[in-house]
Amino acid sequence: AKMAAGSGPGARELFAEGLLQFLRPAVRQLDRHVHSVRESQVELREHIDSLATELCRINEDQKVALDLDPYVKKLLNARRRVVLVNNILQNAQERLRRLNHSVAKETVRRRAMLEAGG
């Protein structure tokens, strides 16, 4: 009767197993998205570096005094922010990996408990 009512250790174990099964795909998908964003951030940083280098070269080659330094500084500031966001994403991805590992370990442990009990 307890099992039918949704209480007791068996029901809790089943609920926990279902919750873990529900979380695993979401964690994996989030990890993939974070990885994709990090790759985009690296690409953006490389483009910013290239553009800053090109602006410096243009500035040196100009016969007329053209002050591109403020634009170069803005690009370098944008690059700094991209690097900062990338570091934050890297930390988040590492936490996601640890969470995914914990979910996998807990799933294995609960399966073993269910199989031993059943």
Side-chain angles (χ1 to χ4, degrees), residues 30-96:
L30 190 54
D31 184 57
R32 283 192 303 270
H33 287 305
V34 168
H35 181 73
S36 176
V37 170
R38 284 187 58 211
E39 286 178 348
S40 295
Q41 292 282 317
V42 168
E43 188 177 323
L44 177 59
R45 187 179 67 219
E46 289 170 355
H47 285 299
I48 288 172
D49 287 346
S50 175
L51 185 55
T53 301
E54 189 65 22
L55 280 176
C56 287
R57 189 191 61 74
I58 289 170
N59 199 25
E60 290 170 2
D61 291 348
Q62 288 295 320
K63 303 282 191 251
V64 179
L66 182 63
D67 189 19
L68 296 177
D69 286 341
Y71 301 105
V72 171
K73 286 179 183 175
K74 285 181 182 181
L75 279 172
L76 294 177
N77 189 33
R79 182 191 188 282
R80 184 186 57 77
R81 288 191 308 247
V82 166
V83 169
L84 180 66
V85 168
N86 196 27
N87 289 339
I88 292 168
L89 287 171
Q90 187 174 358
N91 291 336
Q93 190 171 32
E94 183 55 37
R95 287 193 301 266
L96 279 171

